[in-house]
Amino acid sequence: MIPADLSRTVVRAVRCAVEDGELPARAGVPERVVVERTRPGGVGDYATPVAFQIAKSAGRPPLDVAGVLARRLGAVAGIERVEVTGPGFLNFVMDPVSVDALVREVQARGRRYGFSATASVGIGVSIGSSSSSSASSGSGGLRARVVEEALLRIRATQGTGTGMGTGMGADAAAVAAAAAPHTAPVAKRDGDVVRLYGEDAARWAMLCVAPHESPSFSARLLVQDESSEFFRVRYAHARSRALVRNAARLGFGSGPGEVPDGGPLAQVLADYPLVLEAAAHRAAPEQVVRFLVRAADELLDFHYRVLPKGDEKPSAAHRARLALAEAAGTVLAGGLDLLGIAAPDCL
């Protein structure tokens, strides 16, 4: 099991518990369950508060509901064990991620990896040519508009987004409103922001912090080295493309397989569907930004091991490493696209 399956697996466990009478029918079955990475110091790899979500309608304490679900989920292949902590949190310790299976899924889905089956097409509006009009719009200015667009794209990956032409949902409206108070000083100089830092860097600065926090614009956005998170993410994507080009010059291409030294990078990539689901649920585009930084850092730590060195001949191991690096580049490009930021092949 890859982490993307975990949310659906929990929903099935709730449904089966209701059908078998372990939970009352009035408990209901949620359409989706948010599963997130366990915070530092927590138990296991992932956690969900689903027991609290259904306890009230079930008329049972969350701890009892969690116990019922833990017994069922502990027997699922791919889950090593399930622990209940606190008043009813479910915590999962997962079997190691299969790099081969993960890469094949990314290859099959491309930039739509991480999208739900009901995902709709994303939206996109350029701010570079419309900054002055957005500054005077009723949406709260440029920053509010950028946050709104990103959230709608992210929600669309989960089948819950709405297009710009049909109006935004209540969550998107609330996020845009939260961004608006901090947009006023930006709106007065939004043309300067885009002109000085470029559209992509301006978007990054507006989205890398929570909507209720003020974005920071500084010369660091233009720094072309690894001290800049914005640069690192796009540079990591460019490196993934360069690896593919250089491998072709050496006469080999990528081929999925297990990569013993690729576990940390694969684990981060496996988290992407859960990150999108949580960002959509919590109306938090900045969670996608934080993910992209993590993925870029892991890829930059890994990419030195991809190509043969010296007189070394390309092998199946090199092809598998290349496939993993290529998959990482695909995920980085997809995440940047959701934020409305370009992912150039060369930097």
Side-chain angles (χ1 to χ4, degrees):
M1 176 188 295
I2 61 175
D5 299 324
L6 193 51
S7 178
R8 294 187 292 271
T9 300
V10 174
V11 171
R12 283 197 298 271
V14 175
R15 181 179 298 110
C16 291
V18 170
E19 291 174 352
D20 293 346
E22 287 191 272
L23 292 175
R26 64 178 182 275
V29 180
E31 291 186 8
R32 56 167 50 91
V33 171
V34 174
V35 178
E36 296 183 280
R37 263 284 174 187
T38 304
R39 295 179 181 179
V43 176
D45 302 310
Y46 301 94
T48 178
V50 64
F52 300 90
Q53 184 177 344
I54 61 179
K56 185 174 181 180
S57 57
R60 301 266 297 274
L63 194 61
D64 289 353
V65 174
V68 169
L69 298 179
R71 288 192 293 274
R72 288 181 169 272
L73 291 164
V76 174
I79 299 176
E80 182 179 315
R81 69 178 188 275
V82 183
E83 295 187 23
V84 179
T85 60
F89 291 97
L90 284 171
N91 298 264
F92 304 92
V93 177
M94 307 293 291
D95 290 341
V97 171
S98 167
V99 177
D100 185 16
L102 172 71
V103 169
R104 290 181 187 278
E105 178 163 355
V106 176
Q107 288 181 337
R109 305 199 66 185
R111 292 195 183 190
R112 291 180 66 85
Y113 167 66
F115 289 24
S116 76
T118 57
S120 57
V121 178
I123 61 172
V125 178
S126 173
I127 64 173
S129 60
S130 59
S131 57
S132 59
S133 63
S134 65
S136 59
S137 71
S139 65
L142 180 62
R143 201 287 178 92
R145 181 178 180 179
V146 167
V147 171
E148 173 193 329
E149 290 171 14
L151 177 58
L152 290 174
R153 289 191 200 94
I154 293 166
R155 294 186 69 207
T157 71
Q158 304 304 305
T160 58
T162 55
M164 291 291 288
T166 59
M168 59 179 172
D171 288 347
V175 171
H182 301 280
T183 308
V186 176
K188 295 176 182 177
R189 56 186 175 88
D190 56 1
D192 290 337
V193 166
V194 175
R195 184 169 60 255
L196 288 173
Y197 303 108
E199 179 175 334
D200 290 327
R203 283 183 181 271
W204 180 272
M206 294 174 192
L207 295 170
C208 70
V209 295
H212 65 274
E213 298 178 14
S214 297
S216 174
F217 298 97
S218 71
R220 179 166 292 279
L221 288 170
L222 302 179
V223 171
Q224 298 289 297
D225 63 38
E226 294 185 20
S227 67
S228 164
E229 292 183 341
F230 172 60
F231 175 80
R232 284 207 309 275
V233 170
R234 300 212 302 170
Y235 176 68
H237 170 264
R239 287 303 305 153
S240 75
R241 303 308 304 155
L243 288 171
V244 174
R245 294 193 299 270
N246 292 338
R249 294 190 185 102
L250 293 174
F252 76 100
S254 63
E258 291 302 333
V259 183
D261 55 354
L265 175 57
Q267 186 63 68
V268 171
L269 301 183
D271 286 347
Y272 185 53
L274 298 180
V275 170
L276 291 183
E277 188 173 47
H281 178 75
R282 301 185 188 283
E286 72 278 4
Q287 292 193 7
V288 176
V289 175
R290 293 172 192 157
F291 166 84
L292 292 176
V293 174
R294 286 174 52 217
D297 288 346
E298 289 295 346
L299 175 56
L300 292 174
D301 284 344
F302 174 77
H303 84 280
Y304 298 105
R305 291 169 258 168
V306 172
L307 299 180
K309 294 179 175 60
D311 295 331
E312 189 179 11
K313 299 297 183 183
S315 65
H318 293 111
R319 290 192 289 273
R321 292 192 189 101
L322 179 62
L324 176 57
E326 191 175 10
T330 297
V331 173
L332 288 172
L336 286 169
D337 189 50
L338 290 178
L339 300 178
I341 297 172
D345 286 353
C346 299
L347 279 180

